[in-house]
Amino acid sequence: MNAMTLPWQIPGHVEPIDLSTKRHSLFRGLTTRQKAIALGAFTQDVYGDGDPIPRSRASAPHPEIALRGVLRKEVAEPGGASRLFGLTFAGEILSPAGPRTAAVQYIAMGETVLLSCDADAFAELVEEIPRLRMNYLEELQDRLCEARRGQIMLGRKTAMQRVATLLLSFWERQGRPVEMDLRLNRAELGQILCLTLETVSRQIKVLEKAGTVALPQPSRVIIRDPQSLLAATGEPVSLRRAA
Amino acid sequence: MNAMTLPWQIPGHVEPIDLSTKRHSLFRGLTTRQKAIALGAFTQDVYGDGDPIPRSRASAPHPEIALRGVLRKEVAEPGGASRLFGLTFAGEILSPAGPRTAAVQYIAMGETVLLSCDADAFAELVEEIPRLRMNYLEELQDRLCEARRGQIMLGRKTAMQRVATLLLSFWERQGRPVEMDLRLNRAELGQILCLTLETVSRQIKVLEKAGTVALPQPSRVIIRDPQSLLAATGEPVSLRRAA
DNA sequence: CGAGCTATTGAGTAGTCTCAACAATTGTGG
DNA sequence: CCACAATTGTTGAGACTACTCAATAGCTCG
């Protein structure tokens, strides 16, 4: 459905995975030795475009981290259809699978690498490294906060504010690239934002006409004026310096 | 701000706490002995109307369960004001406190009893009873699902559907009382639903005129036709039999 | 009783959706 | 290479929903 015409990452150019892994917030505060032990329990899996991520529903929650690529976060609708409700970018942790979250499914977009640890191994791991459990629980809290922010966004924001918030969020989470590939069409953006595709199109065009963003192609965005985009989100906080 | 004119529970009439505690889903699957050990680590605290629940932000997440009464779930707004975004009823677990969720605060409405366990004691407890950790993690997942449902509700539902969903949710979570006290005025309902108080008022009146609910007083609701209310929520699922 | 709060109701408005037409882009086959 | 179909994006007009502003009703408390 979403065959990429422009690859997200240039084939052959592979990020140094170890570096990004060791720096993941799940492993913060751990000694080098603890990190080595922890990473030993994790495995890397590669998925192709459109592959659903298999998730064990019976066992206890366990961490899964997107190392490279992008994942579609979809929820099963009552009608049987699935609805996109977010993306997971590289470096982000997946929401825990389990009996209660069975309706949520992750699907790889392009080549995607996942770092994961099965539930039993993780249980043993946290016995040895309590800090790891605390970090994991905090990651779960982050997911909760994220969901809550999303709630406020959909409930209280106008169409323009929602679109600006999404663009800024994608841009920040991808490391503020000069040119950003949305990887989604207007209808899919609309699903995430709970707007029609026409409204999404109109709002993006308004931002383009204002000079806030440039659109080399419909789904490729250059953030020309981050401050102005931030203002359009309706949030009073200031933009942090790039890390 | 919300002094109650009608008490939520008749003073003097106290629910048998042990029963409700032992049946809480956090303790499901535990042997009687394990339950006894677990409950030994928990303490009960009583709060009065308007009391904020003190929550340690530094330590790891730990369980807190509302045993009796109702809690306001509020989030600090950028402007300094706090916004109501939900209620926690008896039998429900509080979202974990922590550095990331510091903005969320719980405030007792009327006399409220909380069952809680400090982080260190809980860490020891789960060493002994692994099942307890799994249950706790699943409870956190439930909070996540709840937040996600809320997201869909605010994004995709009409004013009528939101009001119907809230009324049904409150009714179910309170054990389907014949007459239900909302404990909130129209403005507060509007905060939760991201609607104006006028819109909330209009939708409730529509439900009253349709005979779906009766309103002995503005904030006291009798669900006359649950099926009809369910239909008004816009959700296709059928009403489960009362437990 | 009147003050103060909450709820209801009405009228007009702004913002988003629906429906529709059309443009731009991509892919396919000759 | 072009013609054509299919998909995706843009733009416009009218309808509808919820908001804003305003007036009034109902209740509680001193």
Side-chain angles (χ1 to χ4, degrees), chain B:
Chain B
M1 175 184 181
N2 272 289
M4 290 300 112
T5 49
L6 286 160
W8 182 237
Q9 282 198 310
I10 303 103
H13 170 72
V14 176
E15 286 277 328
I17 290 177
D18 282 353
L19 180 75
S20 63
T21 304
K22 283 184 184 159
R23 281 190 180 168
H24 193 278
S25 56
L26 185 62
F27 303 111
R28 74 182 178 284
L30 268 58
T31 63
T32 311
R33 201 178 116 68
Q34 285 176 325
K35 268 184 212 172
I37 294 168
L39 283 171
F42 280 77
T43 56
Q44 283 183 27
D45 298 292
V46 181
Y47 297 91
D49 187 49
D51 290 349
I53 310 302
R55 313 194 80 198
S56 59
R57 276 146 201 202
S59 62
H62 57 281
E64 295 170 288
I65 302 170
L67 276 191
R68 205 144 40 86
V70 183
L71 295 160
R72 297 166 64 91
K73 220 189 306 187
E74 298 187 353
V75 66
E77 291 277 272
S82 69
R83 203 173 73 84
L84 182 68
F85 76 98
L87 295 186
T88 300
F89 293 106
E92 297 178 338
I93 201 163
L94 277 60
S95 290
R100 319 305 178 85
T101 46
V104 176
Q105 201 185 12
Y106 286 84
I107 293 169
M109 297 182 76
E111 194 178 286
T112 301
V113 181
L114 233 63
L115 187 71
S116 64
C117 174
D118 83 59
D120 295 335
F122 190 63
E124 283 176 34
L125 208 55
V126 295
E127 296 287 325
E128 201 169 344
I129 313 169
R131 173 69 192 244
L132 191 60
R133 169 163 51 223
M134 203 176 97
N135 287 351
Y136 181 57
L137 286 171
E138 284 191 5
E139 290 290 336
L140 295 194
Q141 282 190 26
D142 282 354
R143 298 288 76 71
L144 198 56
C145 284
E146 186 184 284
R148 217 166 265 150
R149 265 198 308 276
Q151 223 173 323
I152 290 168
M153 174 162 114
L154 295 180
R156 302 191 68 81
K157 290 196 172 184
T158 64
M160 172 51 82
Q161 289 172 337
R162 292 186 207 184
V163 169
T165 303
L166 187 81
L167 289 179
L168 204 56
S169 161
F170 278 16
W171 187 61
E172 294 271 359
R173 291 159 65 195
Q174 290 181 23
R176 306 189 181 184
V178 174
E179 186 173 322
M180 169 170 71
D181 186 348
L182 293 177
R183 312 280 301 246
L184 301 172
N185 61 29
R186 301 289 184 262
E188 290 168 321
L189 295 174
Q191 282 189 356
I192 295 177
L193 297 171
C194 292
L195 296 170
T196 58
L197 62 94
E198 294 94 332
T199 301
V200 172
S201 174
R202 273 184 257 262
Q203 303 308 325
I204 290 179
K205 277 286 156 187
V206 169
L207 288 172
E208 187 192 20
K209 273 168 191 146
T212 306
V213 303
L215 299 169
Q217 290 173 34
S219 70
R220 296 190 73 86
V221 179
I222 298 170
I223 310 288
R224 287 229 179 283
D225 185 350
Q227 283 297 341
S228 161
L229 190 59
L230 180 66
T233 64
E235 278 165 38
V237 294
S238 62
L239 210 59
R240 292 167 319 199
R241 284 229 158 268

Side-chain angles (χ1 to χ4, degrees), chain A residues 134-195:
Chain A
M134 203 177 97
N135 286 350
Y136 181 58
L137 286 172
E138 285 191 3
E139 289 291 335
L140 296 194
Q141 283 189 25
D142 282 354
R143 299 288 75 72
L144 199 56
C145 284
E146 186 185 283
R148 219 165 263 151
R149 265 198 307 277
Q151 223 172 322
I152 289 168
M153 174 164 114
L154 295 180
R156 301 189 71 79
K157 290 196 172 185
T158 65
M160 171 51 81
Q161 290 173 335
R162 292 187 207 184
V163 169
T165 303
L166 187 82
L167 289 179
L168 204 56
S169 160
F170 277 17
W171 187 60
E172 294 271 358
R173 290 159 67 194
Q174 291 180 21
R176 308 189 181 183
V178 173
E179 187 173 322
M180 169 170 72
D181 187 349
L182 292 177
R183 314 277 302 244
L184 301 172
N185 60 30
R186 300 290 185 262
E188 290 168 321
L189 294 174
Q191 282 188 357
I192 295 177
L193 297 170
C194 293
L195 296 170

